[in-house]
Amino acid sequence: MDLGAGVSDLLASAWTIVSFLVALMLIVAVHELGHYWVGRLSGIHATTFSLGFGTPLIRHRDRHGTMWQISALPLGGYVKFLGDGDGASARADEDTMAQLSARQRRATLHGAPLWARAATVAAGPAANILLTALILAGSIAWNGIALDQPTVGRMQALPRLDPGTGQGLRPGDRILAVQGQETPDLQGYFMTVETLPPLAQVTYHIRRDGVEMDVIDAHPMPPLVLDVQPKSAALDAGLKAGDVVLALDGQPMATFNQMPGLIEAKGGAPVRLTIWREGKTFDVELTPRRRDLPTSDGGFTTRWLVGLTGGSLFEPATRHPGPIEAISLSGQATWGLITTNVSGIAHVLTGAISSCNLSGPIGMAEVVGQAARSGFNVFVQMLAILSLGIGLTNLLPIPVLDGGHLLFHVYEAVTRRAPSRAVLQALTTAGLALVLGLMLFALSNDLTCT
């Protein structure tokens, strides 16, 4: 084995593990802080706040009597409230509860009013969803949003005409028309781009420094690789963001949109891509894999994919939105992610799409690791997606999860009595078995699904 390659693989694996643990513990910390703060505001006392499980490594008791600790096994965390029989708050410690006065019992999770218990339980998933919205709002505010008028921002590195000759597009150019079709706004520009034939070169009518002119450059949607998906044929083949696909099975590619149809028509047979990277050309062979993709109507479609996402000839010039606009756009994006996640779970449960869409810790670690290697901005956005996923998962109506506790609270609100201790114990045991089964199933997906 090549020693250099072995060291590189080892470092990549270590980076994947570290980045995943950092992301996981940040998300867990936010989740448990949601429980802690709402519980405290509701008059419920937390005795222990732990990041990780097992032997405590660092401990500190604050003036409110809460023990804050970091434990040896960094795979989760918990808040233990006064009177809890375990870290999951699934049952009360009857001996402790019996020794408490009525006032002290009010400070326990099990002795607090129903509204306080429900709010404390719901606060964990809510904190994860809020974290997603805040990250997306910050990303929108930092990166900006495209100007209403199609204006060239940063040009992509492509085998194209040299802008220095005056023949190609330059940053700051305002695009008035493409191939004779007017582009009055950014939406009109993208609609025009969708209808363009796969031409290697396109005529742009632009305004530059107050002067209108025609210039020639590559197609607006060239065969440029914007991103390489995790656990994909393209990633296994070593393709990278910034690569340009010059040909597929010898057929020249003028646009990225030519490739999906040609790959789908192969029905899973291997395809040969000719790649341009930083002035060099080489061939790779990839075998497409079946993937389920969300559609605009909330459903899913199954297609053969190699795992490449296309980019555009240039990044549109942007403006920085105000806080209210950023929050509004973040809310829309978060809601879109929620509906996609819920739809995906429903489709997996009904068998409409492959169960391989459920990833376990290995799959999540691979995705987070690749995001971390792609840059801080990509890592933070992946953090937002992972936080939302964990928040929604915790809302599933399964005992031992927050959603199961909320289901018990709903039952209590309707019937005016809590489930019996025997029923709670039986359902909690069944819920724990179900969660462990799902974890093992997801882990098997990580090992067997391609």
Side-chain angles (χ1 to χ4, degrees), residues 88-134:
S89 302
R91 60 182 178 85
D93 184 336
E94 298 297 340
D95 293 337
T96 299
M97 295 292 287
Q99 298 174 13
L100 300 177
S101 65
R103 181 178 180 181
Q104 290 172 325
R105 288 176 65 88
R106 170 59 182 84
T108 69
L109 183 64
H110 299 276
L114 180 60
W115 66 266
R117 286 179 277 147
T120 301
V121 170
N128 285 133
I129 296 172
L130 179 61
L131 174 63
T132 297
L134 290 176

Side-chain angles (χ1 to χ4, degrees), residues 11-67:
L11 291 175
S13 298
W15 180 251
T16 294
I17 294 171
V18 170
S19 57
F20 175 64
L21 290 178
V22 168
L24 179 62
M25 297 314 293
L26 282 172
I27 293 170
V28 168
V30 168
H31 181 96
E32 299 303 335
L33 281 171
H35 290 311
Y36 170 80
W37 280 111
V38 172
R40 182 175 167 183
L41 291 173
S42 302
I44 301 172
H45 174 63
T47 59
T48 306
F49 185 106
S50 178
L51 285 181
F53 301 106
T55 304
L57 303 177
I58 302 174
R59 308 182 80 178
H60 168 72
R61 189 179 300 277
D62 67 15
R63 61 187 179 87
H64 301 288
T66 301
M67 179 66 74

Side-chain angles (χ1 to χ4, degrees), residues 210-380:
V211 179
E212 293 189 15
M213 65 182 73
D214 287 339
V215 297
I216 298 174
D217 213 316
H219 192 282
M221 300 298 292
L224 169 72
V225 177
L226 178 66
D227 191 24
V228 180
Q229 300 301 312
K231 300 180 70 174
S232 65
L235 182 64
D236 292 345
L239 297 186
K240 302 178 180 180
D243 288 347
V244 179
V245 182
L246 299 180
L248 188 154
D249 287 338
Q251 179 177 339
M253 294 290 103
T255 75
F256 191 89
N257 292 339
Q258 291 175 267
M259 289 192 290
L262 294 173
I263 293 172
E264 187 70 25
K266 299 277 289 187
V271 295
R272 179 171 52 86
L273 302 182
T274 302
I275 303 297
W276 179 91
R277 178 187 295 169
E278 298 177 349
K280 298 180 180 179
T281 302
F282 58 93
D283 289 346
V284 295
E285 186 173 280
L286 302 87
T287 301
R289 300 169 184 174
R290 292 297 268 175
R291 291 290 184 263
D292 299 303
L293 301 177
T295 57
S296 58
D297 60 359
F300 282 80
T301 181
T302 303
R303 291 168 48 193
W304 290 103
L305 301 174
V306 296
L308 297 177
T309 302
S312 59
L313 178 61
F314 61 86
E315 293 180 2
T318 60
R319 64 178 177 83
H320 291 285
I324 294 178
E325 185 179 8
I327 291 172
S328 175
L329 293 172
S330 168
Q332 297 174 31
T334 302
W335 179 248
L337 288 173
I338 290 174
T339 56
T340 298
N341 274 269
V342 172
S343 176
I345 293 172
H347 279 74
V348 169
L349 293 177
T350 59
I353 61 176
S354 171
S355 59
C356 285
N357 287 278
L358 293 177
S359 293
I362 297 177
M364 288 189 289
E366 289 176 346
V367 171
V368 173
Q370 185 186 5
R373 287 190 292 272
S374 298
F376 180 75
N377 191 39
V378 178
F379 174 74
V380 169

